Amino acid sequence: MADVDATPAGNVVEVIFIGCGRPNFSMGWTHLEQMLREPLASLAAVVGVVEPYYLSEACVPGEDAELFREYVAAHKDLRFVPSCTALAKELPAVAPGRVRAAIISTRTPDVLPAFQGAVLELGCRAVYLEKPGAATVAHLDDIAQLAEKHQVDVVVGYNRNVSLHVRRALAFAKEREADMGTPPSVTLLHGNPFCDKEMNEVFRRCRPGLFYDMACHELAIAVGFFGLTAAGYSELRVDKASSLQAVHGGITDFVRAAFSLRPAPGAEPIGFQIDRQAGSFNGIDVDGRRFLSGEPPLLYTNPLQSLSSHIALNYDQYVEAKRIFLSALAPVNARAAMPAAAPAAAPRVAPTAPAPSIS
């Protein structure tokens, strides 16, 4: 392993990545690639990358493993290790005047132990969790309790909420209602670029399912901008003709799901179209006009072999979410130097409504 300076000068924030995954494709790799470029590179220093699969004995030799080895070889300035325990042996304690943060992009079932390692072994006091945050509400409660005990700031990367396409769609919807005198129809869109032969792996990797893995983003938009709550929604209707529930690799899940609901009493219904096989995009349809992520809009069909051409550079919401997170850590660092105060109440996570099943 290369001799890497653990605390580069000039950066108050140290960032550890837990979960890199397959180069050119995985979300962990995407976060890391964006962190190495401006506008994020000047906000923090990457002091370690924990990759629990490709650096483990469980890794299956093949093209993906070779891609990862090549990526490591091309980034000798980064410290790659197989576990939080291994990284803790190499990193010094967090220096005065600095704050250490983690960006966790492991498989969803592995988020809780990764969070525990980041906080208890690596001394992280700010953590960015890739959605949906954890595999279960119980795990989210465990994370919240540990965060409260150690005064750790935690965010979940529902990055659509800061995306340009969402702002444009909401502005157009407001203009449309003013012009027409009635609220426009709104449908939240999300596509992934996978084909039939990939469904076994997609269903396995993306457990506990499409509503946790994909629809959570659109539900977060509905919560943030349309008043959706677990207790307040009504009139849930599933479009069975546009939805498909299937079994792949012994796992039952949705390939695509189309539904609508009234997010709150008195609110207008909104639609959802979530499809694992529609191409690579997310967006909002307002009265037939589509506002899509990326500049230019991203419309890639399946199968998509590499996300590197667009996801590492052009997904504005991914960069903006991390920019907000990292920029906010200066107050966190200042707070660490202040006398200890009574900890705030731990955040609570409302139980989610069960996903509709198609018979």
Side-chain angles (χ1 to χ4, degrees), residues 255-330:
V255 175
R256 62 188 64 92
F259 60 98
S260 64
L261 54 78
R262 190 179 298 276
E268 292 298 315
I270 54 176
F272 298 78
Q273 292 181 4
I274 318 296
D275 194 335
R276 296 191 189 278
Q277 298 186 333
S280 181
F281 66 91
N282 49 79
I284 300 179
D285 183 296
V286 181
D287 271 355
R289 180 173 174 180
R290 302 174 96 195
F291 296 82
L292 302 178
S293 58
E295 292 293 344
L298 307 176
L299 287 170
Y300 289 76
T301 57
N302 62 33
L304 184 61
Q305 298 301 322
S306 173
L307 298 177
S308 60
S309 61
H310 64 282
I311 200 169
L313 300 174
N314 297 331
Y315 264 21
D316 65 283
Q317 67 264 21
Y318 287 97
V319 173
E320 180 63 5
K322 288 191 289 294
R323 187 196 65 77
I324 293 171
F325 171 67
L326 295 170
S327 297
L329 293 185

Coordinates of all heavy atoms in Angstrom, one line a residue, residues 255-330:
V255 N -40.4 -5.4 -10.7 CA -39.6 -5.0 -11.9 C -40.0 -3.5 -12.2 O -39.1 -2.7 -12.4 CB -39.8 -5.9 -13.1 CG1 -39.1 -5.3 -14.3 CG2 -39.4 -7.3 -12.8
R256 N -41.3 -3.2 -12.1 CA -41.8 -1.9 -12.3 C -43.0 -1.7 -11.4 O -43.8 -2.7 -11.2 CB -42.0 -1.5 -13.7 CG -43.1 -2.4 -14.4 CD -43.2 -2.1 -15.9 NE -41.9 -2.5 -16.5 CZ -41.7 -3.7 -17.1 NH1 -42.6 -4.6 -17.1 NH2 -40.5 -4.0 -17.6
A257 N -43.3 -0.5 -11.0 CA -44.5 -0.2 -10.2 C -45.0 1.2 -10.6 O -44.3 2.1 -10.7 CB -44.2 -0.2 -8.7
A258 N -46.3 1.2 -10.9 CA -47.0 2.5 -11.2 C -48.2 2.6 -10.3 O -49.0 1.7 -10.2 CB -47.4 2.5 -12.7
F259 N -48.3 3.7 -9.6 CA -49.4 3.9 -8.7 C -49.6 5.4 -8.4 O -48.8 6.3 -8.8 CB -49.1 3.2 -7.3 CG -47.8 3.7 -6.6 CD1 -47.9 4.6 -5.6 CD2 -46.6 3.2 -7.0 CE1 -46.8 5.1 -4.9 CE2 -45.4 3.6 -6.3 CZ -45.5 4.6 -5.3
S260 N -50.7 5.7 -7.8 CA -51.0 7.1 -7.5 C -51.5 7.1 -6.0 O -52.0 6.1 -5.5 CB -52.0 7.8 -8.4 OG -53.2 7.1 -8.4
L261 N -51.5 8.3 -5.4 CA -52.0 8.5 -4.1 C -52.3 10.0 -3.8 O -51.8 10.8 -4.5 CB -51.1 7.9 -3.0 CG -49.7 8.4 -2.9 CD1 -49.5 9.7 -2.3 CD2 -48.8 7.3 -2.2
R262 N -53.2 10.2 -2.9 CA -53.4 11.6 -2.4 C -52.5 11.7 -1.2 O -52.7 11.1 -0.2 CB -54.8 11.8 -2.0 CG -55.2 13.3 -1.7 CD -56.7 13.4 -1.4 NE -57.6 13.0 -2.5 CZ -57.9 13.8 -3.5 NH1 -57.4 15.0 -3.6 NH2 -58.7 13.3 -4.4
P263 N -51.4 12.6 -1.3 CA -50.4 12.6 -0.2 C -50.9 13.1 1.1 O -50.3 12.8 2.2 CB -49.3 13.5 -0.8 CG -50.1 14.4 -1.8 CD -51.1 13.5 -2.4
A264 N -51.9 14.0 1.1 CA -52.4 14.5 2.4 C -53.9 15.0 2.2 O -54.3 15.2 1.0 CB -51.6 15.7 2.8
P265 N -54.7 15.1 3.2 CA -56.1 15.5 3.0 C -56.1 16.9 2.3 O -55.4 17.8 2.7 CB -56.6 15.7 4.5 CG -55.7 14.7 5.3 CD -54.4 14.7 4.6
G266 N -56.9 17.0 1.3 CA -57.0 18.2 0.6 C -56.0 18.4 -0.5 O -56.1 19.4 -1.3
A267 N -55.0 17.6 -0.6 CA -53.9 17.7 -1.6 C -54.4 17.0 -2.9 O -55.2 16.1 -2.9 CB -52.6 17.1 -1.1
E268 N -53.8 17.4 -4.0 CA -54.1 16.8 -5.3 C -53.3 15.5 -5.3 O -52.2 15.3 -4.8 CB -53.6 17.7 -6.4 CG -54.4 19.0 -6.6 CD -55.9 18.7 -6.9 OE1 -56.2 17.8 -7.7 OE2 -56.8 19.3 -6.3
P269 N -53.9 14.5 -6.0 CA -53.2 13.2 -6.2 C -51.9 13.4 -7.0 O -51.9 14.2 -7.9 CB -54.2 12.3 -6.9 CG -55.6 12.9 -6.6 CD -55.3 14.4 -6.5
I270 N -50.9 12.6 -6.7 CA -49.7 12.5 -7.5 C -49.4 11.1 -7.9 O -49.8 10.1 -7.3 CB -48.5 13.1 -6.8 CG1 -48.3 12.4 -5.4 CG2 -48.6 14.6 -6.5 CD1 -47.1 12.8 -4.7
G271 N -48.8 11.0 -9.1 CA -48.5 9.6 -9.6 C -47.0 9.3 -9.4 O -46.2 10.1 -9.3
F272 N -46.7 8.0 -9.5 CA -45.4 7.4 -9.4 C -45.2 6.4 -10.5 O -46.0 5.5 -10.7 CB -45.2 6.8 -8.1 CG -45.3 7.7 -6.9 CD1 -46.5 8.1 -6.4 CD2 -44.1 8.2 -6.2 CE1 -46.7 8.9 -5.3 CE2 -44.3 9.0 -5.1 CZ -45.5 9.4 -4.7
Q273 N -44.1 6.5 -11.3 CA -43.7 5.5 -12.2 C -42.3 5.1 -12.0 O -41.4 5.9 -12.3 CB -43.9 6.0 -13.7 CG -45.4 6.2 -14.0 CD -45.6 6.7 -15.5 OE1 -44.6 6.8 -16.2 NE2 -46.8 7.0 -15.8
I274 N -42.1 3.9 -11.4 CA -40.8 3.4 -11.0 C -40.5 2.2 -11.9 O -41.2 1.2 -11.8 CB -40.7 3.1 -9.5 CG1 -41.4 4.1 -8.7 CG2 -39.3 2.9 -9.1 CD1 -40.8 5.5 -8.8
D275 N -39.4 2.1 -12.6 CA -39.2 1.0 -13.6 C -37.7 0.7 -13.6 O -36.8 1.5 -13.9 CB -39.6 1.5 -14.9 CG -39.7 0.3 -15.9 OD1 -39.1 -0.7 -15.7 OD2 -40.5 0.4 -16.9
R276 N -37.3 -0.6 -13.3 CA -36.0 -1.0 -13.3 C -35.4 -1.2 -14.7 O -34.2 -1.3 -14.9 CB -35.8 -2.3 -12.6 CG -36.1 -2.3 -11.1 CD -35.7 -3.7 -10.5 NE -36.1 -3.9 -9.1 CZ -35.5 -3.4 -8.1 NH1 -34.4 -2.6 -8.2 NH2 -35.9 -3.6 -6.8
Q277 N -36.3 -1.1 -15.7 CA -35.9 -1.4 -17.1 C -36.2 -0.3 -18.1 O -36.3 -0.6 -19.3 CB -36.5 -2.8 -17.6 CG -36.1 -4.0 -16.7 CD -36.7 -5.3 -17.3 OE1 -37.7 -5.3 -17.9 NE2 -36.0 -6.4 -17.0
A278 N -36.3 0.9 -17.6 CA -36.8 2.0 -18.5 C -35.6 2.8 -19.0 O -35.8 3.7 -19.8 CB -37.7 2.9 -17.7
G279 N -34.4 2.6 -18.6 CA -33.3 3.4 -18.9 C -32.8 4.1 -17.7 O -33.2 3.8 -16.6
S280 N -31.8 5.0 -17.8 CA -31.2 5.6 -16.6 C -31.6 7.1 -16.6 O -31.1 7.9 -17.3 CB -29.7 5.5 -16.7 OG -29.1 6.1 -15.6
F281 N -32.6 7.4 -15.7 CA -33.1 8.8 -15.6 C -33.9 8.9 -14.3 O -34.4 7.9 -13.8 CB -33.9 9.2 -16.8 CG -35.2 8.5 -17.0 CD1 -36.3 9.0 -16.4 CD2 -35.2 7.3 -17.7 CE1 -37.5 8.3 -16.5 CE2 -36.4 6.6 -17.8 CZ -37.6 7.1 -17.3
N282 N -34.1 10.1 -13.9 CA -35.2 10.4 -12.9 C -35.8 11.8 -13.3 O -35.1 12.6 -13.9 CB -34.7 10.3 -11.5 CG -33.4 11.1 -11.2 OD1 -33.5 12.3 -11.1 ND2 -32.3 10.4 -11.2
G283 N -37.0 12.0 -12.9 CA -37.6 13.2 -13.3 C -39.0 13.4 -12.8 O -39.5 12.6 -12.0
I284 N -39.7 14.5 -13.3 CA -41.1 14.8 -12.9 C -41.8 15.2 -14.2 O -41.3 16.0 -15.0 CB -41.1 15.9 -11.9 CG1 -40.4 15.5 -10.6 CG2 -42.6 16.3 -11.6 CD1 -40.4 16.6 -9.5
D285 N -43.0 14.6 -14.4 CA -43.8 14.9 -15.5 C -44.9 15.8 -15.0 O -45.7 15.5 -14.0 CB -44.5 13.6 -16.1 CG -45.3 13.9 -17.3 OD1 -46.4 14.6 -17.1 OD2 -45.0 13.4 -18.4
V286 N -45.1 17.0 -15.6 CA -46.1 18.0 -15.2 C -47.0 18.2 -16.4 O -46.5 18.9 -17.4 CB -45.5 19.3 -14.7 CG1 -46.6 20.3 -14.3 CG2 -44.5 19.1 -13.5
D287 N -48.2 17.7 -16.4 CA -49.1 17.9 -17.5 C -48.5 17.5 -18.9 O -48.6 18.2 -19.9 CB -49.6 19.3 -17.6 CG -50.9 19.5 -16.8 OD1 -51.4 18.5 -16.2 OD2 -51.4 20.7 -16.7
G288 N -47.7 16.4 -18.9 CA -47.1 15.9 -20.1 C -45.7 16.5 -20.4 O -45.0 16.0 -21.3
R289 N -45.3 17.5 -19.7 CA -43.9 18.0 -19.9 C -43.0 17.4 -18.9 O -43.2 17.4 -17.7 CB -43.9 19.5 -19.8 CG -42.5 20.1 -20.0 CD -42.5 21.6 -20.0 NE -41.2 22.2 -20.0 CZ -40.9 23.5 -20.1 NH1 -41.9 24.4 -20.1 NH2 -39.7 23.9 -20.1
R290 N -41.9 16.8 -19.4 CA -41.0 16.0 -18.5 C -39.7 16.9 -18.2 O -39.1 17.5 -19.0 CB -40.5 14.7 -19.2 CG -41.6 13.8 -19.6 CD -41.1 12.6 -20.3 NE -40.9 11.5 -19.5 CZ -40.2 10.4 -19.8 NH1 -39.6 10.4 -21.0 NH2 -40.1 9.4 -19.0
F291 N -39.4 16.9 -16.9 CA -38.2 17.6 -16.4 C -37.3 16.5 -15.8 O -37.6 15.8 -14.9 CB -38.6 18.6 -15.3 CG -39.4 19.7 -15.7 CD1 -40.8 19.6 -15.8 CD2 -38.9 20.9 -16.1 CE1 -41.6 20.6 -16.3 CE2 -39.7 22.0 -16.5 CZ -41.0 21.8 -16.6
L292 N -36.2 16.3 -16.5 CA -35.3 15.2 -16.2 C -34.0 15.7 -15.6 O -33.5 16.8 -15.9 CB -35.0 14.4 -17.5 CG -36.3 13.8 -18.1 CD1 -35.9 13.0 -19.4 CD2 -37.1 12.9 -17.2
S293 N -33.3 14.8 -14.9 CA -32.1 15.1 -14.2 C -30.9 15.2 -15.3 O -31.0 14.5 -16.3 CB -31.7 14.0 -13.2 OG -31.6 12.8 -13.8
G294 N -30.0 16.0 -15.0 CA -28.8 16.1 -15.8 C -28.9 17.2 -16.9 O -29.9 17.6 -17.3
E295 N -27.7 17.6 -17.3 CA -27.6 18.6 -18.3 C -26.6 18.1 -19.4 O -25.4 18.2 -19.1 CB -27.2 20.0 -17.8 CG -28.2 20.6 -16.9 CD -29.5 21.1 -17.7 OE1 -29.4 21.1 -18.9 OE2 -30.5 21.3 -17.0
P296 N -27.0 17.6 -20.5 CA -28.4 17.5 -21.0 C -29.1 16.4 -20.2 O -28.4 15.6 -19.5 CB -28.2 17.1 -22.5 CG -26.9 16.4 -22.5 CD -26.0 17.1 -21.5
P297 N -30.4 16.2 -20.4 CA -31.1 15.2 -19.7 C -30.6 13.8 -20.0 O -30.1 13.5 -21.1 CB -32.6 15.3 -20.2 CG -32.7 16.7 -20.6 CD -31.3 17.1 -21.2
L298 N -30.6 12.9 -19.0 CA -30.0 11.6 -19.1 C -31.0 10.6 -19.5 O -32.0 10.4 -18.8 CB -29.3 11.2 -17.8 CG -28.4 12.2 -17.2 CD1 -27.9 11.8 -15.9 CD2 -27.2 12.4 -18.2
L299 N -30.9 10.1 -20.7 CA -31.8 9.0 -21.2 C -31.0 7.9 -21.8 O -30.8 7.9 -23.0 CB -32.8 9.6 -22.2 CG -33.9 10.6 -21.7 CD1 -34.6 11.3 -22.8 CD2 -34.9 9.8 -20.8
Y300 N -30.6 7.0 -21.0 CA -29.8 5.9 -21.4 C -30.6 4.6 -21.4 O -31.4 4.4 -20.4 CB -28.5 5.7 -20.6 CG -27.5 6.8 -20.8 CD1 -27.7 8.0 -20.2 CD2 -26.4 6.5 -21.5 CE1 -26.8 9.0 -20.4 CE2 -25.4 7.5 -21.7 CZ -25.6 8.8 -21.2 OH -24.7 9.8 -21.3
T301 N -30.6 3.8 -22.4 CA -31.3 2.5 -22.4 C -30.5 1.4 -21.9 O -29.3 1.5 -21.6 CB -31.8 2.2 -23.9 OG1 -30.6 2.1 -24.7 CG2 -32.7 3.3 -24.4
N302 N -31.2 0.3 -21.6 CA -30.5 -0.9 -21.1 C -30.0 -1.8 -22.2 O -30.5 -1.8 -23.3 CB -31.4 -1.6 -20.0 CG -32.6 -2.2 -20.7 OD1 -32.6 -2.6 -21.8 ND2 -33.7 -2.2 -19.9
P303 N -29.0 -2.7 -21.9 CA -28.2 -2.7 -20.6 C -27.1 -1.6 -20.7 O -26.5 -1.4 -21.7 CB -27.6 -4.1 -20.6 CG -27.5 -4.5 -22.0 CD -28.6 -3.8 -22.8
L304 N -26.9 -1.0 -19.6 CA -25.9 0.1 -19.5 C -24.7 -0.5 -18.8 O -24.7 -0.9 -17.7 CB -26.5 1.3 -18.7 CG -25.6 2.5 -18.5 CD1 -25.3 3.1 -19.9 CD2 -26.3 3.5 -17.6
Q305 N -23.6 -0.6 -19.6 CA -22.4 -1.2 -19.1 C -21.5 -0.3 -18.2 O -20.8 -0.8 -17.3 CB -21.5 -1.7 -20.2 CG -22.2 -2.7 -21.1 CD -22.6 -3.9 -20.4 OE1 -21.9 -4.4 -19.5 NE2 -23.8 -4.5 -20.7
S306 N -21.7 1.0 -18.3 CA -20.8 1.9 -17.6 C -21.6 3.2 -17.3 O -22.2 3.8 -18.2 CB -19.5 2.2 -18.3 OG -18.8 3.2 -17.6
L307 N -21.6 3.7 -16.1 CA -22.2 4.9 -15.7 C -21.2 6.1 -15.8 O -21.5 7.2 -15.6 CB -22.7 4.9 -14.3 CG -23.8 3.9 -14.0 CD1 -24.2 3.9 -12.6 CD2 -25.0 4.1 -14.9
S308 N -19.9 5.8 -16.1 CA -18.8 6.8 -15.9 C -19.0 7.9 -16.9 O -18.6 9.1 -16.6 CB -17.5 6.1 -16.2 OG -17.4 5.6 -17.5
S309 N -19.7 7.7 -18.0 CA -19.8 8.8 -18.9 C -20.7 10.0 -18.4 O -20.6 11.1 -18.9 CB -20.4 8.3 -20.3 OG -21.7 7.7 -20.0
H310 N -21.6 9.7 -17.5 CA -22.5 10.7 -17.0 C -22.6 10.8 -15.5 O -22.7 11.9 -14.9 CB -23.8 10.6 -17.6 CG -24.6 9.4 -17.3 ND1 -24.3 8.2 -17.8 CD2 -25.6 9.2 -16.4 CE1 -25.1 7.3 -17.3 NE2 -25.9 7.8 -16.5
I311 N -22.6 9.7 -14.8 CA -23.0 9.7 -13.4 C -21.9 10.4 -12.5 O -22.2 11.0 -11.5 CB -23.3 8.3 -12.8 CG1 -24.2 8.4 -11.6 CG2 -22.1 7.5 -12.6 CD1 -24.8 7.1 -11.1
A312 N -20.6 10.2 -12.9 CA -19.6 10.8 -12.1 C -19.5 12.3 -12.2 O -18.9 13.0 -11.4 CB -18.2 10.2 -12.4
L313 N -20.0 12.9 -13.3 CA -19.8 14.3 -13.5 C -21.1 15.1 -13.6 O -21.2 16.2 -13.2 CB -19.1 14.4 -14.9 CG -17.7 13.8 -14.9 CD1 -17.1 13.9 -16.3 CD2 -16.7 14.4 -13.9
N314 N -22.2 14.5 -14.1 CA -23.3 15.3 -14.5 C -24.6 15.2 -13.6 O -25.5 15.9 -13.9 CB -23.7 14.9 -16.0 CG -22.6 15.3 -16.9 OD1 -21.8 16.2 -16.7 ND2 -22.5 14.5 -18.0
Y315 N -24.6 14.3 -12.7 CA -25.7 14.2 -11.8 C -25.7 15.3 -10.8 O -25.1 15.2 -9.7 CB -25.8 12.8 -11.1 CG -26.6 11.8 -11.8 CD1 -26.9 11.9 -13.1 CD2 -27.1 10.7 -11.1 CE1 -27.7 10.9 -13.7 CE2 -27.8 9.7 -11.7 CZ -28.2 9.8 -13.0 OH -28.9 8.9 -13.6
D316 N -26.3 16.4 -11.1 CA -26.2 17.6 -10.3 C -26.6 17.4 -8.9 O -26.0 17.9 -7.9 CB -27.0 18.8 -10.9 CG -28.5 18.5 -10.9 OD1 -29.0 17.7 -11.7 OD2 -29.2 19.1 -10.0
Q317 N -27.6 16.6 -8.6 CA -28.1 16.4 -7.3 C -27.1 15.7 -6.4 O -27.1 15.9 -5.2 CB -29.5 15.7 -7.3 CG -29.5 14.3 -7.7 CD -29.9 14.1 -9.2 OE1 -29.7 15.1 -9.9 NE2 -30.3 12.9 -9.5
Y318 N -26.4 14.7 -7.0 CA -25.4 14.0 -6.2 C -24.3 14.9 -5.7 O -23.9 14.9 -4.5 CB -24.8 12.9 -7.0 CG -25.7 11.7 -7.2 CD1 -26.4 11.6 -8.4 CD2 -25.9 10.7 -6.3 CE1 -27.3 10.5 -8.6 CE2 -26.7 9.7 -6.5 CZ -27.4 9.6 -7.7 OH -28.3 8.5 -7.9
V319 N -23.8 15.8 -6.5 CA -22.8 16.7 -6.1 C -23.3 17.7 -5.2 O -22.7 18.0 -4.1 CB -22.2 17.4 -7.4 CG1 -21.2 18.5 -7.0 CG2 -21.5 16.4 -8.3
E320 N -24.5 18.3 -5.4 CA -25.1 19.3 -4.6 C -25.4 18.8 -3.2 O -25.1 19.5 -2.2 CB -26.3 19.9 -5.2 CG -27.0 21.0 -4.5 CD -26.2 22.3 -4.3 OE1 -25.0 22.3 -4.9 OE2 -26.6 23.2 -3.6
A321 N -25.9 17.6 -3.1 CA -26.2 17.0 -1.8 C -24.9 16.9 -0.9 O -24.9 17.3 0.3 CB -26.8 15.7 -1.9
K322 N -23.8 16.4 -1.5 CA -22.6 16.3 -0.8 C -22.0 17.7 -0.5 O -21.3 17.9 0.6 CB -21.6 15.4 -1.5 CG -22.0 14.0 -1.5 CD -20.9 13.1 -2.0 CE -20.6 13.2 -3.5 NZ -21.8 12.7 -4.3
R323 N -22.1 18.7 -1.4 CA -21.6 20.0 -1.1 C -22.3 20.6 0.1 O -21.6 21.2 0.9 CB -21.8 20.9 -2.4 CG -21.2 22.3 -2.2 CD -21.7 23.2 -3.3 NE -23.1 23.5 -3.0 CZ -23.6 24.4 -2.1 NH1 -22.7 25.0 -1.3 NH2 -24.9 24.6 -1.9
I324 N -23.6 20.5 0.2 CA -24.4 21.0 1.3 C -23.9 20.3 2.6 O -23.6 20.9 3.6 CB -25.9 20.8 1.1 CG1 -26.4 21.6 0.0 CG2 -26.6 21.1 2.4 CD1 -27.8 21.3 -0.5
F325 N -23.7 19.0 2.5 CA -23.3 18.2 3.7 C -21.9 18.6 4.2 O -21.7 18.9 5.4 CB -23.3 16.7 3.3 CG -22.6 15.8 4.3 CD1 -23.2 15.6 5.6 CD2 -21.4 15.1 4.0 CE1 -22.6 14.7 6.5 CE2 -20.9 14.3 5.0 CZ -21.5 14.1 6.2
L326 N -20.9 18.7 3.3 CA -19.6 19.1 3.7 C -19.5 20.5 4.1 O -18.7 20.8 5.0 CB -18.6 18.8 2.5 CG -18.5 17.3 2.1 CD1 -17.7 17.2 0.8 CD2 -17.8 16.5 3.2
S327 N -20.2 21.4 3.4 CA -20.2 22.8 3.8 C -20.7 23.1 5.2 O -20.3 24.0 5.9 CB -20.9 23.7 2.8 OG -20.4 23.6 1.5
A328 N -21.7 22.2 5.6 CA -22.3 22.4 6.9 C -21.4 21.9 8.1 O -21.7 22.1 9.2 CB -23.6 21.6 7.0
L329 N -20.3 21.2 7.7 CA -19.4 20.6 8.8 C -18.6 21.6 9.5 O -18.0 21.3 10.6 CB -18.6 19.5 8.2 CG -19.4 18.3 7.8 CD1 -18.4 17.2 7.3 CD2 -20.3 17.8 8.9
A330 N -18.4 22.8 8.9 CA -17.6 23.9 9.7 C -18.3 24.2 11.0 O -17.6 24.3 12.0 CB -17.4 25.1 8.8

